[in-house]
Each structure stands twice: as C-alpha cells, then as structure tokens.
C-alpha cells in the first residue's frame, strides 16, 4: 500500500472507532511491529539511493500524523466514558428487576368469599368506616344504655360525638335498607374497629364480611342452607356445621355458627381446644325492631343476616396462629399466599 492510501484508510478506520479495544487494534495495525508503517520502513533499503531520503521523510511524517490521530481519538473516548461515570451510568450493567407483588391474603379471602356469595345472587356493597352512632347502634336495636354497647363502644371522633369508627359491618344493613326496598341480597366486606387489647387473636382493627337477605317469606332454613354452602365452598365438602343459640340485639333468634374442626375433623385437638368445633360467625333472623328503624315496619318482610371475621376465617383455613402476622408486612409470611 502506498503512503496516501494508508493515510486515507487510517482516517476512515479511526472515525469508526468507539472502544479502547478497537483503538488498540488500530494502533497495532498501523504502528505495531509488523504494522503498515513498519512495512513501509522495511521497504526503504530496496529503494534507489536517491529516493530513500525523501521516502523516509514521508513515512516519518505519516507516522507522526497517525500518532496524533490516535492520541486525539484516545482523548475523546476517555472523556466520553468519564461523562458516563460521572452520571453513575453503567450502560453495560443489567437492570435491577422489580419484584412483582401480589394481592394481600386478607384481600384474597375477601374476594374468594364475595365470589361465592356472588354466585348465590348476592351483590357486594360497601359502607364508610366512619359511621354515625345511629347506624352503628340505635338503628340496629342497640339502645343507648344497652350493655352490648360496651364491647363495641369506642373510637369516637373528637369533635363529632355522634361519629365513630364502626365496630362492625352491620350498620351497612341500616344504610341499604333505609334507601332501598326488598328483595335485597348483599354482602359487605370492610374494616371494623374495637377497643380490644392486641394479642395473638385480637387486633383493634380487623375485617368483617356482613351478609343479609331480605324479602317476603325468608326463613331460618334459608340462612342454614346458604351458610352451609358457604362453609363447604371455603373449607371443603366434608365440613359439618352446628348452630348454637346466642344473643345479638339486631337478630332474633340469634346463633353462633361453628364448623367441625378442620384439623382434627371433630375429634378434638389443640386448635379447637378439644371441642371438635370452631366458631366462624354470628347470624340470625333480622329483628323486627331493625325493620321498624329503617321504615319497613308496616310491611311483611323477613330476612336473615350474618357477620364473620375475615382474619379468623383465613387463620382457620391456613392454620395461622397469630392474627398480627397479617399486618406486620413481613414478606416471608406474605409470600406464602
Ligand atoms: N355484627 C355482629 C358482630 O360484629 C355479627 C353479626 C352480624 C351477627 C349479623 C348477627 C347478624 O359481632
């Protein structure tokens, strides 16, 4: 190759270089021991004596030109990479993958239970967590002096004596019935608040799902059938139920509902306290006084209502022994669901 074409080629090679490695390769190609410049130099002894001096000078000039070009290129590459460094940008580094979260186990159970009742024709409604004293108590046949207020009576808003954090989801019964006429079939998931000291089975805040159905000729056997279907869908087909007499001011008759222990199948174990049964919810036929409060007094409606603690259902279903686990945000726990 002659001097001119080497220079042209070198300039076009250098223009394409973007890495230190390619720069080094170019240095070797042109200025290395066996490079093109060395090749030119080694051809000098074969030239006519009078040409050697001129040619030698031209080769030398080209060599210096190339050294200059290489140095310049090295400088631009360095400033480029230092700009990347200064901005803490390593464009060769793989990205950090964001871990994908999933739905909280309590929300999963709520969705699952609501879906079961959806299939049975219940629709899902919600009510506010800040509730009126009337909806939380009086409208549900819990008068001012009634002792059953004690367990619930709490968390009043400071400047609004008649507003409180609801202690159960039952006030949504009052809200719905005051604004709509039967037939009604609803489930109401949501947070509730109580003055309970925190331990493995109590929190000051937890979730409930209320359910109610109001129409003409609704009987206790309808309640039993619906709840049995619900329990079998959540806990399995071989689950048995029992209804124990209980008291709630807003239902009459009232019951507490147990399922046969899912661990020992009713034989008695540490989970069920050797009883063979686990309490899962409260229920009953809606009290005529509640119908009076909501303005159904003159009509012949009957209906049932039930209320369950979501955390309790989740704990029984998954064998969890401490309710606090749900709200500590410990991923080792949450990732299991
Ligand atoms: N509201 C009751 C409670 O929180 C549960 C319940 C709801 C009982 C509906 C009967 C009917 O304990």
């Amino acid at each position: 190759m002659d001097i001119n074409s080497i220079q042209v080629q070198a300039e076009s090679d250098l223009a394409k270089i973007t890495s230190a490695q390619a720069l080094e390769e170019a240095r070797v190609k042109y200025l290395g021991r066996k490079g093109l410049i060395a090749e030119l130099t080694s051809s000098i002894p074969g030239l006519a004596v009078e040409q050697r001096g001129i040619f030698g000078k031209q080769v030398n000039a080209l060599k210096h030109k190339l050294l200059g070009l290489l140095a310049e290129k090295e400088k631009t590459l360095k400033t480029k990479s230092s700009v990347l460094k200064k901005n803490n940008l390593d464009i060769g580094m793989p990205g950090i993958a964001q871990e994908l979260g999933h739905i909280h186990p309590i929300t999963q159970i709520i969705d699952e239970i609501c879906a079961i009742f959806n299939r049975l024709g219940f629709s899902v409604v919600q009510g506010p967590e800040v509730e009126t004293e009337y909806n939380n108590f009086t409208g549900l046949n819990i008068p001012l002096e009634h002792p059953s207020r004690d367990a619930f009576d709490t968390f009043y808003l400071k400047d609004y004596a008649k507003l409180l954090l609801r202690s159960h989801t039952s006030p949504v019964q009052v809200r719905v019935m005051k604004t709509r006429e039967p037939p009604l079939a609803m489930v109401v998931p949501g947070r509730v608040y109580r003055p309970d000291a925190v331990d493995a089975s109590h929190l000051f805040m937890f979730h409930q799902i209320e359910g109610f159905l109001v129409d003409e000729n609704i009987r206790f056997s309808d309640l039993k059938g619906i709840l049995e279907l619900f329990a079998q869908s959540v806990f399995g087909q071989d689950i048995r139920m029992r209804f124990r007499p209980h008291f709630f001011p807003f239902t009459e008759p009232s019951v507490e509902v147990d399922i046969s222990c899912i661990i020992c199948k009713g034989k008695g174990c540490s989970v069920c306290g050797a009883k063979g049964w686990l309490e899962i919810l409260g229920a009953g036929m809606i009290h005529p006084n509640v119908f009076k409060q909501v303005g159904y007094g003159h009509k012949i409606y009957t209906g049932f209502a039930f209320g369950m603690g979501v955390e309790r259902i989740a704990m029984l279903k998954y064998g969890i022994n401490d309710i606090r686990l749900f709200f500590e945000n410990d991923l080792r726990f949450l990732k299991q669901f």
Side-chain angles (χ1 to χ4, degrees), residues 152 167-170 173 194 208 210-211 248 250-251 254-255 282-284 305-308:
F152 286 165
S167 53
H168 51 174
T169 41
S170 301
Q173 288 185 40
R194 290 194 190 170
Q208 281 191 330
E210 188 85 7
F248 295 107
F250 35 91
T251 46
S254 301
V255 288
F306 56 87
M308 65 184 91

Side-chain angles (χ1 to χ4, degrees), residues 7 18 244 260 263:
Q7 177 166 341
T18 54
R244 279 180 289 109
S260 52
I263 307 294

